[in-house]
Amino acid sequence: MMIFFWQAREYYSNEDFGYTWWNQEFTQTTHQKYYKYVVLGDSSCNAAYMPEVISDSMVNLSIGGSSTVEEYYVLEDYLANNEAPTDVFLSYHDSHFKYTEAYWDKIVPSHRFNMLQNLEILYNVAKYRDDSFSREGMLAEYLAAEFYFPSKYITAFNNSLGENRFAKLEMAYDKIELHGGRYTTLGKMEFETVQDRVYSEMPVKPLYNYYFTKTIELCVENNIAVHIVKPPLPDNTEMTAEYVEQVFYYYKYFVDSYPNVTFSWNTKIMDRKLFADEIHMNNDGALAFSTTLKNEFKDIFPETRYTADMMLAVDDSIQQENIAGYLMHFIGDRDYTVLMYDGGNCVRQFRKQFTAPVGLRSYSMKEIDENAPNADNLYVLLAPDNEAIDFTIEDDGTSLVVKNDKLGDNRWALPNTSCISLFIIDNVNEQLVGIKNIQYNTTDKTFENYVF
């Protein structure tokens, strides 16, 4: 049974283990591609940083539930196998300066770290007498997992019966690879609450402070600039003056004590609709945070070109997007050709409300091909410096057909209702991303918030 649990772990483990194994494989592999920016932190960090929005040279190596302890070894693994990045971004929720949610439930049973790393962790846990990290008989518990004792894995095996967990793990691998290390399981969830959460102090336990300091010192030793960025929280958050002072006092110590260390907390609060829960951003929140971060650190992120890999990841987010405003922000200045059908005499209002704020320009189809079917109601949306992909439009009697040599023939069924219909093409990868429709209320002369 021990051999089975060792050799067949992909068949009984859940998706969280898949994410952890991806992280392990990535950090312990020597990559031909050079990553200039590495992100380290917990799940709030993983949810917030979108490499496909910020930079093609960024990878998000944060692990859900991890504290400052685990992420030190993630960086250690990466530096042992790869050239040091120019910049490391550190982001943690306050809770992970006082306890871990990952080590015993995810790190140990998934064999994320090697034996020497784990024994060093347990030694320091004992040294600092940290009851938030330690467990009764923790060395025995660690060894039981290390050698795949059936008692540690039988529950996961029983729970996996009747499921194709191998396929789910493959999908998780593909998703996290596509999004540069970021999990996407929170998707479009929206945080709803009527309660406020008060932050009145920032307690930092010695064990977690020790590892946070070690992480910064490891960066300094390797001439890596460190950017400590405190992630924003939803607008049900209340922060006392004492709490804010404690946060700045703690992080300012590292800024003052080490070279090339900065601290940023410019955005403390954001709309709760950008969060999936009290600390984790959803896709829309990640887009807003990552866009803000890129602008804040524009001297570090000078790139304005979106690579094919970045576009594929954004394509995936667009396919998930169900809110009109954020859909247009994802399209933004990226290289898309968006065909727009005005099915409600509402194009002017749509331009004013959605396309103008993100800098998209619209061109009437009559200017491009006056013989195209429905030319009076068709438009092309483009970012200012982009060109439309070559296409022709035909009417087959039941729907429009958009034709392109690479895309082939794609049917565009126009809804029988007052709406704006968008046919979105990724110019870089030359593929159809999807069709999104935004309902228009002719009585109130307003657009519905959600797309269909």
Side-chain angles (χ1 to χ4, degrees):
M1 290 184 70
M2 292 166 67
I3 294 172
F4 169 79
F5 287 130
W6 170 34
Q7 292 294 319
R9 61 184 192 174
E10 295 90 351
Y11 292 90
Y12 62 82
S13 300
N14 62 28
E15 289 180 47
D16 278 350
F17 280 33
Y19 295 131
T20 308
W21 289 331
W22 180 91
N23 184 283
Q24 178 186 45
E25 182 180 317
F26 189 93
T27 58
Q28 294 178 4
T29 299
T30 301
H31 298 278
Q32 291 184 343
K33 178 178 178 177
Y34 174 57
Y35 289 89
K36 296 173 66 176
Y37 319 111
V38 170
V39 177
L40 300 172
D42 53 18
S43 56
S44 70
C45 169
N46 187 277
Y49 285 81
M50 274 185 163
E52 63 265 31
V53 170
I54 301 171
S55 172
D56 188 52
S57 293
M58 172 178 279
V59 63
N60 190 334
L61 296 181
S62 48
I63 297 177
S66 64
S67 67
T68 60
V69 177
E70 294 92 343
E71 286 299 295
Y72 167 77
Y73 294 99
V74 170
L75 179 61
E76 183 180 72
D77 279 354
Y78 183 78
L79 293 179
N81 296 287
N82 293 278
E83 183 181 351
T86 60
D87 300 79
V88 161
F89 287 80
L90 300 178
S91 294
Y92 294 93
H93 183 259
D94 299 343
S95 58
H96 292 126
F97 281 94
K98 58 183 180 181
Y99 64 81
T100 177
E101 298 165 293
Y103 186 73
W104 292 106
D105 295 332
K106 187 184 298 186
I107 300 295
V108 169
S110 70
H111 299 255
R112 171 61 186 84
F113 302 138
N114 63 44
M115 182 176 284
L116 288 178
Q117 290 172 324
N118 281 305
L119 292 177
E120 183 175 81
I121 290 173
L122 298 183
Y123 170 79
N124 285 317
V125 169
K127 175 183 174 181
Y128 284 96
R129 299 180 181 180
D130 193 289
D131 57 359
S132 68
F133 208 105
S134 63
R135 288 194 175 188
E136 188 72 26
M138 62 181 180
L139 180 59
E141 182 168 349
Y142 162 67
L143 292 174
E146 179 69 23
F147 295 105
Y148 290 93
F149 275 29
S151 59
K152 302 299 296 181
Y153 295 93
I154 194 68
T155 300
F157 173 73
N158 288 335
N159 291 339
S160 72
L161 296 176
E163 294 183 28
N164 188 349
R165 291 200 171 182
F166 184 84
K168 289 183 177 180
L169 283 169
E170 279 192 321
M171 291 177 62
Y173 256 75
D174 291 344
K175 277 281 189 181
I176 197 169
E177 182 76 23
L178 178 64
H179 290 276
R182 178 177 174 267
Y183 313 160
T184 59
T185 50
L186 295 176
K188 294 291 303 170
M189 293 171 56
E190 287 189 16
F191 178 44
E192 295 182 7
T193 183
V194 294
Q195 296 179 327
D196 289 342
R197 180 171 179 178
V198 178
Y199 286 76
S200 58
E201 62 176 349
M202 182 189 174
V204 179
K205 301 191 75 172
L207 173 71
Y208 303 89
N209 179 66
Y210 168 73
Y211 273 102
F212 190 70
T213 304
K214 275 175 66 74
T215 302
I216 291 176
E217 290 176 345
L218 183 58
C219 290
V220 171
E221 289 170 12
N222 287 275
N223 297 315
I224 303 169
V226 179
H227 309 285
I228 306 168
V229 178
K230 189 165 172 55
L233 293 167
D235 57 15
N236 71 315
T237 303
E238 292 184 9
M239 302 178 187
T240 65
E242 292 78 12
Y243 168 73
V244 173
E245 183 179 354
Q246 286 178 28
V247 170
F248 277 102
Y249 179 81
Y250 178 71
Y251 288 121
K252 189 174 184 297
Y253 166 79
F254 297 100
V255 175
D256 294 341
S257 302
Y258 296 93
N260 293 324
V261 177
T262 64
F263 171 60
S264 172
W265 195 22
N266 292 335
T267 306
K268 296 182 176 65
I269 301 294
M270 296 182 78
D271 191 323
R272 70 188 65 181
K273 290 183 179 179
L274 299 174
F275 290 79
D277 55 37
E278 286 191 330
I279 66 172
H280 300 104
M281 290 185 145
N282 57 29
N283 273 6
D284 296 338
L287 173 64
F289 171 81
S290 297
T291 302
T292 301
L293 186 86
K294 185 173 183 177
N295 291 331
E296 180 181 347
F297 291 95
K298 56 187 175 183
D299 55 327
I300 298 175
F301 306 120
E303 309 160 13
T304 56
R305 183 179 64 91
Y306 294 95
T307 66
D309 288 341
M310 295 172 78
M311 291 292 290
L312 286 174
V314 175
D315 290 351
D316 185 59
S317 294
I318 287 176
Q319 288 163 2
Q320 297 180 53
E321 187 57 62
N322 62 356
I323 297 180
Y326 292 115
L327 171 66
M328 303 315 295
H329 277 280
F330 269 114
I331 293 171
D333 63 348
R334 297 173 181 85
D335 196 0
Y336 290 101
T337 296
V338 182
L339 307 182
M340 178 173 67
Y341 172 74
D342 177 14
N345 195 27
C346 53
V347 66
R348 287 188 178 181
Q349 186 171 339
F350 189 82
R351 286 171 178 160
K352 181 179 179 181
Q353 186 172 343
F354 294 111
T355 64
V358 298
L360 285 172
R361 295 181 179 177
S362 66
Y363 304 88
S364 172
M365 184 60 70
K366 289 189 294 185
E367 301 173 19
I368 301 169
D369 181 7
E370 62 180 10
N371 296 319
N374 292 297
D376 289 340
N377 297 319
L378 284 176
Y379 301 84
V380 177
L381 301 179
L382 292 168
D385 297 327
N386 295 336
E387 294 183 1
I389 197 169
D390 290 333
F391 66 90
T392 58
I393 300 178
E394 296 181 3
D395 190 340
D396 69 358
T398 59
S399 63
L400 299 182
V401 179
V402 181
K403 296 188 172 187
N404 172 273
D405 290 341
K406 294 289 183 65
L407 274 69
D409 297 352
N410 291 277
R411 293 170 60 85
W412 183 10
L414 302 177
N416 295 320
T417 181
S418 295
C419 74
I420 289 288
S421 184
L422 303 174
F423 186 97
I424 306 167
I425 301 170
D426 175 349
N427 294 345
V428 178
N429 294 291
E430 297 183 305
Q431 67 174 15
L432 172 63
V433 179
I435 298 170
K436 302 282 185 174
N437 304 304
I438 299 122
Q439 184 72 44
Y440 182 66
N441 188 320
T442 54
T443 303
D444 297 337
K445 299 190 181 303
T446 57
F447 289 99
E448 297 293 335
N449 191 34
Y450 290 92
V451 303
F452 66 95

